[in-house]
Amino acid sequence: MNMIQAINSAMDVMMDRDPAVIVMGEDVGYFGGVFRATAGLQAKYGKTRVFDTPITECGIIGVAVGMGAYGLRPVPEIQFADYIYPALDQLVSEAARLRYRSAGEFIAPITVRSPFGGGIFGGQTHSQSPEGIFTHVSGIKTVIPSTPYDAKGLLIAAIEDNDPTLFFEPKRIYNGPFDGHWDRPTQNWSQHPAGAVPEGYYKIPLGKANVVREGEALTILVYGTMVHVASAVIADAGVDAEIIDLRTLVPLDIETIEASVKKTGRCMIIHEATRTGGFGAELSALVQERCFYHLEAPIERVTGFDTPYPHSLEWAYFPGPVRIGEALKKVMKD
Amino acid sequence: MNMIQAINSAMDVMMDRDPAVIVMGEDVGYFGGVFRATAGLQAKYGKTRVFDTPITECGIIGVAVGMGAYGLRPVPEIQFADYIYPALDQLVSEAARLRYRSAGEFIAPITVRSPFGGGIFGGQTHSQSPEGIFTHVSGIKTVIPSTPYDAKGLLIAAIEDNDPTLFFEPKRIYNGPFDGHWDRPTQNWSQHPAGAVPEGYYKIPLGKANVVREGEALTILVYGTMVHVASAVIADAGVDAEIIDLRTLVPLDIETIEASVKKTGRCMIIHEATRTGGFGAELSALVQERCFYHLEAPIERVTGFDTPYPHSLEWAYFPGPVRIGEALKKVMKD
Amino acid sequence: MPSDRPGANLPPLSLYVPEPRFRPGDTVDFTEVVLPPAGQARRPDTAEPAHAFTDLAYDLVRVLDTDGQAVGPWNPRLSPDTLRDMLRSMVTVRAFDERMFRAQRQGKTSFYMKCTGEEAVAVSAAFALDRDDMCFPSYRQQGLLVARGWSLVDMMNQIYSNKGDRLQGKQLPIMYSVRDASFFSISGNLTTQYPQAVGWAMASAAKGDTRIAAAWCGEGSTAEGDFHSACTFASVYRAPVIFNVVNNQWAISSFSGFAGAEATTFAARAIGYGIAGLRVDGNDALAVYAATAWAAERARTNQGPTLIEHFTYRVEGHSTSDDPGQYRSAGEASAWPLGDPVTRLKDHLIAIDEWDEDRHIAQDKEIAEMVRAAQKEAEANGILGHGLHQPLDTLFDGVFEEMPWHLREQQAQMIAEETASGRPWARK
Amino acid sequence: MPSDRPGANLPPLSLYVPEPRFRPGDTVDFTEVVLPPAGQARRPDTAEPAHAFTDLAYDLVRVLDTDGQAVGPWNPRLSPDTLRDMLRSMVTVRAFDERMFRAQRQGKTSFYMKCTGEEAVAVSAAFALDRDDMCFPSYRQQGLLVARGWSLVDMMNQIYSNKGDRLQGKQLPIMYSVRDASFFSISGNLTTQYPQAVGWAMASAAKGDTRIAAAWCGEGSTAEGDFHSACTFASVYRAPVIFNVVNNQWAISSFSGFAGAEATTFAARAIGYGIAGLRVDGNDALAVYAATAWAAERARTNQGPTLIEHFTYRVEGHSTSDDPGQYRSAGEASAWPLGDPVTRLKDHLIAIDEWDEDRHIAQDKEIAEMVRAAQKEAEANGILGHGLHQPLDTLFDGVFEEMPWHLREQQAQMIAEETASGRPWARK
Ligand SMILES: Cc1ncc(C[n+]2csc(CCOP(=O)(O)OP(=O)(O)O)c2C)c(N)n1
Ligand SMILES: Cc1ncc(C[n+]2csc(CCOP(=O)(O)OP(=O)(O)O)c2C)c(N)n1
Ligand SMILES: [Mg+2]
Ligand SMILES: [Mg+2]
């Protein structure tokens, strides 16, 4: 399966198991979503469980919160993560706060799916990575898969979870992993081991990272598309890096991170989002606080620049192999 | 002057100097704002320059952006920072992006004033410190004053600035500085040197921090209310700290920070906002990146907890003298 | 900028900025307010489509006439017992408001909001809805809880954030949450409850349930985008929901003109979405009851949403934080021609010989006593600021279902802080 | 959950979910679409208050009748020269769309969006507005630029993100910004331009200027909260703004029922706010012109905002990214009873003896040639993906007026990266 199919399968499995699961969003019904992630679900489960919505992200999330309070488990889609901002108040002031402010009387067990990230010439409003806004908000979980296998297992876990969860899908790797070389041919998921996705139910717990490569020389903290870019750079460079795919940003798997950095003594953090105040800042702060006496070099952040995502210069913006390679040299120096 | 009066004076001075400056927001007109920050302005400058608005933060900012594109310099008020979320899309996707996406054809020279922070038993929707959401967004400046003198000078600079600026006002210290001891009587600004505010025009440049105390033992990075809390703790503890009031978070005065930490070798960061992904994370990452070889102890973050701001336990949430004192011990250890 | 541009032969534009008719010091004169007589508005069948009665969005459904008689097609013909129950609830709400307002002034809590003059809006709705219909209120519908017989002590515990507070002191006073009374957790952010109510109603419909949802917001709050999202969703999916817009004419210091009242009614918003709209005398308990029952019947028979504008007046300040004398004429409340909802219902009961002044006085006293007793009981659980009412570590409960490591660490840190403070657990 | 609850004697609710009448494979039959004949809708004086003509929100302003004659009170009586200019603009837009769509298909750029079938909506508006009235378009009003005589080469440069692109390749293709043509920077986020247009109009009014603003959005986009904020502000301050809702019946794959079209018209939204509303045949260039001119006159005389619903049909896919054959019947476009706006204007000119088929064919050829020449000129500046068209460091221009240290550092880093890459400046 490619990642779209895996995501589709997760929803299919959950809709089949639990009549409370419903899917809603702009164009998700008959059409099956602009990226086809919900294809076939309306035909299978009917219009009252899979339906198109008016174009109001505020309404989509607000309605989902109300449905959640009733006892459903809505899985709303926000068509592009860049369009999540009109829903911010409903996510931050409502979904994230409901359990707390009602001392558990009402909950918002919603899973908001949204494709994010650049690398498809989408320009500044089809490319953003806004996860750093949400990781700062108490009461919301943030999950980002990097393979079809993970996407399915994590999405099932998110749907079963009783807290509001943002599930950001790295759209650049929907069809296949991406090594960061935009001008080279790309692989399909069928050629990748994590493209082998079981048909049925399985889950990957939220809050557990995945060590995609063990190593001794440095620790690389990464998620989404950048897992593959980082892996390719490391393979090329022949550095014995430990690459940790975070999978869940909140709650974070701090144990795995801490153990790794204490072992390697060096740390590099990579994300596509703008640098200042990105989730990389939190990772850097945490690693520094917990592994200070083990660090042999400054922690390096490799990120998108603090500009909007440009259209034509998108590969100059993207934290690709060259940027990662330069940072790698720095973090491995002395 | 207290801080409210200083802020009022800044708007007064700017409205008098520049007919393009207009003030708008919920209850800012005849009533002069729920905190009285705009008192008297409508009577002086008329209803077409100072007016109440419908209760739609999205509309307030959207309209301000349009007015800015026309050539005005709107100074919209968001009644509480907790209510800025419905305006997020207009701030992030519009105000912050307009200059960039139009290659300078259109700009959004707006200054969004909003009271923020806790300590007034306002509960979770009148206490938040959302600055960390905006410091992650490219194209927006974030300014936070800590005294009446600074508030006036910075607000004038913000209004004159041609970029969209968020001006967060620490409401806990509107009337006087606060040492963090909620159960002790508070000072008035009239008893504080920075309460002496000139009547006329002056400005404090954006992007320049203020070293409120020079010292050798450690560097404390702080802004808003916490400047005073930190100062009181340091005075009590008798530690020779260098306290840097950041004043502007973006753009940040990195030179002052870097020079200080390189001198002291220790760094503590304090803010009231929730910890994970707060602006303190960025500060910690930056200091670590730039001063790694000078650091003698881990950088400490002292922050609000990763919970909503509670009502009755607000002083347990607030990063007060005890929390700061504990962190101080840690950062000064060995 | 305009000066150097062509078109100077055109007349200049000007910006209109609304202004209320009366400001502090002005003499109030409401003779211009047009009030259709009671009994005049027609009552369409609940099966009629919304576009067949758009006139009602500009009319005013009224049942109680100037003689205290219930007249016209909207007369809900309630039993005297029900009427007395409604009156009792309204009187209780008012007494509750007065005591809690005073408690705040006495420093026993941080904040309070009254609904004086608007008691009928919530109380009558509660009587007209089924008890398990889900309410998504704003902060001024305490009447729903009172009318549903919810414990006053429990409400006061919340106001005092004391150890009896089921919400563990987490919320600002009056931001109740009472699942057992089908009363949704109140949000500080205006109008967010509107799309949530639609979502709840859609879920109920999707499940073949029979319960409907009702939401409330102030006229000022209709300007928020959530209001529009909610109306759009409700219209598209014909959700079984009742939207109540409480037009009490003020939003803190801003009169309803800043929400658009000069251009049309708030009930007319419904017409924009093609949903049913009613404009009701909000100070007429029978009219509110009738309109709510009618809207509930439409919802329950899959006829979809109804928006009801309750035309009323906010008699007191916005909350304990403001002084209305600074922005409006003190004379407005008494001059307001729709009168007082409690008095009007009382007068009706007297007019039909089911009540008298003595009983009313006696009931006032009895209720005052009951509220005072409740207050005493609640205060035995503590008042805000006096002592630590919630175990400190509850601060971290409910952020997530299970506490992740970072909150556990912060919780431990806080407890260590308390110990370090030298006055552990006594800090508050 | 519902199963164990009381009220089981009530009939169950059900959730209504809209469904378009035709899906792929269905035979299209539009006979149910009621179209009032041309010339029938009344034309109120522009000084009349909005509530005096709410019927027009449900009517359809049409000028061109089935014989190609301009009839009725809305006939704008334009000179043949103006009519020919309008036709020429519309034909140019269509030719431009076709070429640029094809360019995208040929891999010369990343994205394109046509407005086929909707050319009258933007072109006629541009003719009816003053050239310095400020337009806040969505992505489907390229007709405004063409009608205002803006350079096709400049537009194409933007589409190709090439070195002639004034926007420095920063924006997705077609997200133009043309201050010199009073055309606001297009946003990717739907409907954000609506409150901005109101703000611009309010500023113009506050300054005693004479210029008005006009905004456009699709019918699907009316659901966003910004739409509501804009209408509320415009109503409150009587802003000199024209709201255009282009009801082309589809929003990507979602038919207009998901924006509320089954319950009422989009023009009726205006009634909800007490502002003027018109429903117009969007494929009738003269009707669009007349409605825009009427609304502009209202705005310019301080009568406030007007909302115009342009009833039209999106003939092509949403953009280059979708295939409409997957969600709607292929027969819709040709069966759509309001016809093609270009053909209708052409037929009118022929009917009044001011045009003929030969001239039309000749003009088609000439315009195709002109567009082709423009394309050639633009492509000489480069196409997307072929080479570095913008100096790399422009990536950092315009985030702020002055570049702060962190962007300067990042800029330096990027340039160092290029050098390190071993293929400096040739990366793209
Ligand atoms: C999103 C948001 N913006 C602003 C506020 C501040 N605020 C609280 S109540 C209020 C006025 C509401 O007026 P109205 O809707 O008429 O209700 P009323 O108080 O009259 O019952 C305002 C502006 C808020 N709570 N939430
Ligand atoms: C805030 C936001 N949400 C979603 C989108 C994705 N999107 C782009 S166009 C579109 C459909 C708009 O339909 P309509 O308003 O009818 O305009 P049309 O394309 O028909 O001209 C959607 C959902 C977006 N651009 N912005
Ligand atoms: Mg009100
Ligand atoms: Mg459309």
Side-chain angles (χ1 to χ4, degrees), chain C residues 1-2 5-7 10-16 18 58 132 202 204-211 222-225 227-228 232 235-238 240 257-258 260 262-264 268-269 271-274 299-300 302, chain D residues 1-2 5-7 10-16 18 58 132 202 204-211 222-225 227-228 232 235-238 240 257-258 260 262-264 268-269 271-274 299-300 302:
Chain C
M1 302 297 297
R5 60 168 298 279
L10 291 168
L13 295 165
S14 65
L15 184 68
Y16 175 81
Y58 306 99
D132 56 2
M202 286 174 66
S204 186
K207 284 290 171 188
D209 196 343
T210 61
R211 295 173 296 169
T222 60
E224 293 285 5
F227 177 86
H228 179 62
T232 304
S235 167
V236 167
Y237 305 98
R238 303 180 191 168
F258 282 101
E262 293 185 337
T264 190
R269 293 278 189 280
I271 300 172
Y273 303 100
R300 245 183 274 280
N302 287 313
Chain D
M1 299 299 297
R5 59 169 298 277
L10 291 167
L13 295 165
S14 65
L15 184 67
Y16 175 80
Y58 305 99
D132 56 2
M202 287 175 67
S204 186
K207 285 289 170 187
D209 196 344
T210 60
R211 295 172 296 169
T222 61
E224 293 284 5
F227 177 85
H228 179 62
T232 303
S235 167
V236 167
Y237 305 99
R238 304 182 189 166
F258 283 101
E262 291 184 339
T264 189
R269 293 279 189 281
I271 299 173
Y273 303 100
R300 245 184 273 281
N302 288 312

Side-chain angles (χ1 to χ4, degrees), chain C residues 38-102:
Chain C
Q40 191 191 265
R42 70 197 182 95
R43 183 181 183 283
D45 193 274
T46 54
E48 277 201 52
H51 64 77
F53 49 85
T54 54
D55 52 306
L56 290 175
Y58 306 99
D59 206 330
L60 197 66
V61 172
R62 307 182 67 194
V63 171
L64 291 173
D65 71 11
T66 40
D67 301 326
Q69 296 297 338
V71 297
W74 287 93
N75 180 0
R77 296 169 202 283
L78 299 175
S79 74
D81 279 347
T82 303
L83 293 171
R84 277 186 293 262
D85 284 352
M86 284 166 63
L87 182 66
R88 189 181 171 81
S89 285
M90 284 164 64
V91 169
T92 306
V93 171
R94 190 164 295 183
F96 185 91
D97 274 359
E98 271 159 25
R99 279 220 81 81
M100 289 296 100
F101 188 88
R102 201 169 336 145

Side-chain angles (χ1 to χ4, degrees), chain C residues 218-220 246-251:
Chain C
E219 89 293 341
V246 186
N247 178 8
N248 64 6
Q249 304 183 52
W250 289 91

